[in-house]
Amino acid sequence: MTNPLSGRDLLSIRDLSPEEVRLVLDTARQLKLRYYSGERIIPLLAGKTIALIFEKPSTRTRVSMEVAAIQLGAHPLPLRRDELQLGRGEPVKDTARVLSRYVDAIAARVFSHESLEEMAAYATIPVINMLSDLEHPLQALADAMTIEEKKGDIKNVKVVYVGDGRNNVAHSLLLVIAKLGGHIVISSPPALYPRRDVLEAAKATAAETGATIEIISDPREAVKGADVVYTDVWVSMGEESVVDERRRLLQGYQVNVELMSLASNNAIFMHCLPAHRGEEVTEDVIEGPWSVVWDQAENRLHAQKAVLALILS
């Protein structure tokens, strides 16, 4: 069977068809099963080298991508911006063309999505988005994997995201649930609704897959009957100048026991981490019986192995 992702870039969930999202999730499940059966090294990418560029610090992304590469037999090459000539003003396009002569793929965690687009335009090897200000597609794939593990077919699941609807996690979650035909609700103040282009792309996908998309500003109304309640930090790295304004806008959007009590009886709580306990989520929720955040974090490893295996094999 032809692998439709071979040699492709992955900058956005929009780059994947619904069938390709399903392929990634099915592959991730197979690799996870093999991992737990004792196959910690599956050398599908033996001899490959993957450059991992980090403009932002990271725990889950860096460790899970390095381990994913190693467990597939590849060599990960982590690179901070200050270790590259990027830190001294070399154009992204020059870095992309040089790295294309040395390695088999570039995965980058960047501030600006435009940097990724420029990198992909000039690189002759696959470029993978490990996070940008617009999207976090690898996180969304791990999220979808986790939801299906806990709740079954996403077509039968109501997912409610509470908080900043314009951030990268909200955008990618919205798009991946639309690709899988689920029910996604974004609950945020109007000033933080998802970007129009992302929302329109999700709606266009929903018209094909039968997904339901809602924007509901009142979080109490939004979470009624929710199977999944998801939140993220109110202020991301690089947005420190808007801390006070963001906190003002998002007062009332904290995920706490009272809000979780409005969801379905068997609802789960998700967060991409790191979490600011006492701000977007309370300690008793993230450490409570609803929380699946540690399973969600683990699934970054398995979902990313699937992405690397499919794109580089």
Side-chain angles (χ1 to χ4, degrees):
M1 182 174 121
T2 302
N3 170 13
L5 295 182
S6 181
R8 295 252 302 272
D9 297 325
L10 177 55
L11 306 188
S12 163
I13 292 294
R14 284 181 274 190
D15 295 337
L16 302 174
S17 69
E19 295 76 19
E20 289 165 349
V21 171
R22 176 55 57 201
L23 174 62
V24 172
L25 297 183
D26 289 346
T27 303
R29 271 191 289 274
Q30 292 168 17
L31 290 171
K32 185 173 183 178
L33 284 170
R34 293 176 69 175
Y35 177 88
Y36 277 103
S37 72
E39 287 188 88
R40 294 301 172 93
I41 304 295
I42 305 173
L44 299 173
L45 303 182
K48 305 278 189 182
T49 301
I50 305 167
L52 307 178
I53 297 176
F54 290 92
E55 289 188 347
K56 293 183 174 186
S58 168
T59 298
R60 278 147 295 278
T61 298
R62 175 165 178 173
V63 176
S64 62
M65 282 295 278
E66 283 200 55
V67 173
I70 291 166
Q71 290 185 356
L72 292 171
H75 177 74
L77 185 64
L79 301 164
R80 297 194 312 270
R81 182 182 177 89
D82 63 353
E83 294 176 319
L84 297 168
Q85 294 296 337
L86 282 170
R88 299 176 61 200
E90 181 174 55
V92 169
K93 61 185 179 182
D94 291 2
T95 299
R97 287 181 285 199
V98 169
L99 288 179
S100 294
R101 304 296 181 100
Y102 299 149
V103 301
D104 299 286
I106 301 168
R109 179 177 170 94
V110 300
F111 284 99
S112 170
H113 194 77
E114 285 73 18
S115 295
L116 279 174
E117 292 177 330
E118 182 177 354
M119 193 171 291
Y122 285 91
T124 56
I125 55 177
V127 174
I128 298 169
N129 180 1
M130 292 196 296
L131 177 142
S132 71
D133 57 344
L134 179 62
E135 274 203 56
H136 199 348
L138 299 180
Q139 179 67 56
L141 292 165
D143 294 341
M145 180 181 182
T146 307
I147 292 168
E148 292 200 332
E149 284 181 347
K150 303 298 181 181
K151 292 294 176 184
D153 190 344
I154 281 180
K155 286 184 169 65
N156 303 316
V157 177
K158 178 181 178 181
V159 180
V160 180
Y161 177 94
V162 179
D164 178 6
R166 285 186 72 85
N167 82 1
N168 45 20
V169 170
H171 284 158
S172 289
L173 184 69
L174 173 62
L175 290 164
V176 82
I177 299 300
K179 296 279 185 183
L180 294 167
H183 180 182
I184 175 76
V185 181
I186 303 292
S187 183
S188 66
L192 296 175
Y193 282 174
R195 272 180 36 161
R196 182 182 297 275
D197 61 318
V198 175
L199 184 56
E200 290 305 315
K203 287 180 176 178
T205 298
E208 300 175 4
T209 64
T212 300
I213 296 172
E214 296 182 279
I215 309 293
I216 301 175
S217 59
D218 180 354
R220 295 174 63 85
E221 179 66 25
V223 302
K224 287 180 181 176
D227 300 297
V228 179
V229 179
Y230 195 130
T231 194
D232 189 15
V233 294
W234 288 351
V235 182
S236 299
M237 279 182 285
E239 296 182 330
E240 289 77 14
S241 63
V242 298
V243 168
D244 292 340
E245 174 67 7
R246 196 62 58 78
R247 286 175 175 160
R248 182 187 67 78
L249 285 170
L250 289 168
Q251 288 304 311
Y253 288 85
Q254 182 186 75
V255 179
N256 50 37
V257 171
E258 180 187 3
L259 194 68
M260 289 300 301
S261 71
L262 300 174
S264 70
N265 291 335
N266 298 312
I268 59 173
F269 170 75
M270 298 179 69
H271 192 305
C272 60
L273 302 176
H276 294 166
R277 290 164 165 83
E279 192 163 272
E280 76 273 5
V281 62
T282 55
E283 178 84 4
D284 46 7
V285 169
I286 197 168
E287 297 289 353
W290 306 278
S291 180
V292 299
V293 299
W294 317 117
D295 296 324
Q296 180 186 0
E298 179 192 338
N299 282 338
R300 289 289 303 276
L301 171 64
H302 307 299
Q304 287 162 190
K305 283 168 71 173
V307 168
L308 293 176
L310 289 165
I311 287 178
L312 289 176
S313 65

